[in-house]
Amino acid sequence: NGTLGEVWDDEMSSTMLGKRLRKVVQNYQAMNKYGVQFADVGAGARHPKRSGPELLCQMKDSVSITTLTQEMEPFAHFPWATLLPPRPLNMDIGAFKTCAVVSSAGSMKNSGLGKEIDAHDAVVRFNAAPTTGFEKDVGSKTTIRLINSQVMAPEDHRFLSSSLYSTGILVGWDPAPYSSDLSEWYNKTDYPIFLQYQRYRRLHPQQPFYILHPRVEWQLWNQIQENMAEPIQKNPPSSGLLGTVLMMSLCEVVHVYEFLPSRRKTELCHYYQRFVDAACTLGAYHPLLYEKNLVKRMNQGLDRDIYTHGRVTLPGFSTLNC
Ligand code: C5P
């Protein structure tokens, strides 16, 4: 009937979650596996809420997208250092005009967004999200695949063998200590990302494969916490937000699909699996609820585009006049 349904409320709080999920979030707020130290947890409640343009400039200033290179310590001293790229990602690719970020949410299903997504100059996908068999809804182009270290874990044999990972540029990441000290992280990764990186590079020497500097995770985390009125989970942001900010550093315009749920909103976790869990959309381990609040506040598109297409429009950092 033409009336606009509800879209993401940018002041979502854990109090709006169901009992079970609220408990999980509270546990992660209390747990501090990565040694997060943040002085001003209440900051977001005190200063007036920042506008979209203010948040975009704050992000451009405080988050610098970097990837590991051969000459960084401690890697420079390792015999396998030459497997790492000689230059950071942003010196090898981009700048793109238009980019699409495709979340893996269940609400991508039956979206019919495939053509629109493929019309972008670059497309980023996440973890094990396939295109084969889902082209109509998610498209078929993959420029970058951002993968977390859990996906790369040796117990899951698919990472080294599946063709899923063999197209596009790979970018891996792993939750690191809050210090972002590379040596400390190297000895304390969540999953053996460096071992699997070496194996993969030897099997696929021609495919570009970068590793995100762990600083990025925590710079972004700081910005989320700084703008929220309550304590957020002391864990790194989700792949979805990391990929969004990565593309903001490489593109002039970024469209993010089904990160903020459309009218197709569902508890189906991924468009490619049968698993159902509201935590996939609302967050448990990751501060996903607050990531979405931030993205909603930065959105330059219409609420209607969120409602019908699950589409958010963000400007690339290079286009901002801060
Ligand atoms: O689950 P996975 O991390 O592989 O999904 C990729 C990204 O898509 C997530 O990190 C999250 O940002 C986003 N996502 C979402 N809602 C879902 C599933 C995924 O926002 N139901």
Side-chain angles (χ1 to χ4, degrees):
N1 59 11
T3 56
L4 183 58
E6 290 238 326
V7 296
W8 190 269
D9 167 6
D10 72 20
E11 299 212 54
M12 267 292 281
S13 130
S14 60
T15 59
M16 299 168 187
L17 298 174
K19 211 171 163 188
R20 177 191 69 97
L21 213 49
R22 192 158 67 230
K23 199 96 222 149
V24 178
V25 169
Q26 276 166 0
N27 281 339
Y28 280 120
Q29 281 162 345
M31 205 189 301
N32 192 358
K33 182 176 177 190
Y34 306 102
V36 172
Q37 287 184 297
F38 192 85
D40 214 5
V41 161
R46 285 194 306 275
H47 60 67
K49 211 160 108 183
R50 286 188 180 86
S51 67
E54 285 170 339
L55 289 169
L56 287 162
C57 284
Q58 185 186 36
M59 183 173 275
K60 180 182 176 173
D61 287 344
S62 60
V63 184
S64 97
I65 298 288
T66 44
T67 56
L68 303 185
T69 51
Q70 307 184 340
E71 78 281 1
M72 285 182 182
E73 294 297 348
F75 307 101
H77 278 86
F78 298 159
W80 61 270
T82 52
L83 292 176
L84 285 168
R87 297 183 309 177
L89 175 67
N90 67 313
M91 288 187 67
D92 291 340
I93 64 153
F96 301 108
K97 272 211 166 69
T98 64
C99 295
V101 178
V102 186
S103 105
S104 302
S107 48
M108 285 303 299
K109 219 172 144 157
N110 301 317
S111 69
L113 287 167
K115 276 211 183 92
E116 175 174 330
I117 289 167
D118 280 347
H120 292 80
D121 297 323
V123 178
V124 62
R125 302 182 191 277
F126 301 100
N127 299 318
T131 53
T132 310
F134 302 93
E135 292 88 348
K136 211 170 163 295
D137 294 330
V138 305
S140 58
K141 183 189 274 188
T142 304
T143 315
I144 296 178
R145 184 174 291 274
L146 184 61
I147 53 179
N148 62 41
S149 55
Q150 188 171 11
V151 166
M152 298 168 66
E155 295 74 32
D156 188 338
H157 299 290
R158 284 169 298 186
F159 175 60
L160 295 178
S161 60
S162 169
S163 63
L164 185 60
Y165 302 100
S166 61
T167 48
I169 298 166
L170 292 177
V171 181
W173 74 277
D174 173 81
Y178 186 73
S179 69
S180 298
D181 179 85
L182 293 180
S183 298
E184 195 185 323
W185 175 42
Y186 185 76
N187 293 309
K188 214 161 104 183
T189 58
D190 254 14
Y191 293 88
I193 182 172
F194 294 111
L195 181 71
Q196 290 294 86
Y197 179 81
Q198 292 169 58
R199 287 180 177 156
Y200 192 96
R201 288 282 297 134
R202 292 194 168 102
L203 287 169
H204 308 88
Q206 301 304 326
Q207 190 180 5
F209 193 169
Y210 299 82
I211 297 178
L212 205 61
H213 196 298
R215 210 163 41 202
V216 182
E217 303 161 19
W218 295 112
Q219 287 172 338
L220 201 47
W221 186 92
N222 288 343
Q223 194 197 357
I224 302 167
Q225 180 63 84
E226 232 268 296
N227 288 288
M228 298 301 141
E230 61 187 27
I232 71 170
Q233 292 95 316
K234 294 188 183 74
N235 299 321
S238 71
S239 296
L241 187 69
L242 291 170
T244 299
V245 181
L246 172 70
M247 295 321 260
M248 290 169 79
S249 77
L250 297 173
C251 314
E252 284 176 22
V253 183
V254 180
H255 288 135
V256 190
Y257 293 95
E258 293 292 357
F259 185 68
L260 304 186
S262 68
R263 62 184 168 198
R264 291 177 295 279
K265 183 174 151 74
T266 165
E267 293 202 344
L268 182 66
C269 184
H270 295 127
Y271 67 83
Y272 55 89
Q273 279 174 339
R274 297 243 241 174
F275 181 61
V276 173
D277 188 349
C280 298
T281 304
L282 300 175
Y285 171 85
H286 297 292
L288 191 57
L289 198 72
Y290 310 102
E291 299 172 22
K292 294 184 185 204
N293 287 348
L294 196 65
V295 166
K296 177 74 199 301
R297 294 177 201 177
M298 294 190 307
N299 178 34
Q300 295 192 326
L302 303 170
D303 275 358
R304 168 148 290 276
D305 295 339
I306 300 175
Y307 186 65
T308 57
H309 289 65
R311 183 177 68 217
V312 156
T313 304
L314 298 170
F317 292 140
S318 67
T319 70
L320 294 175
N321 277 317
C322 296

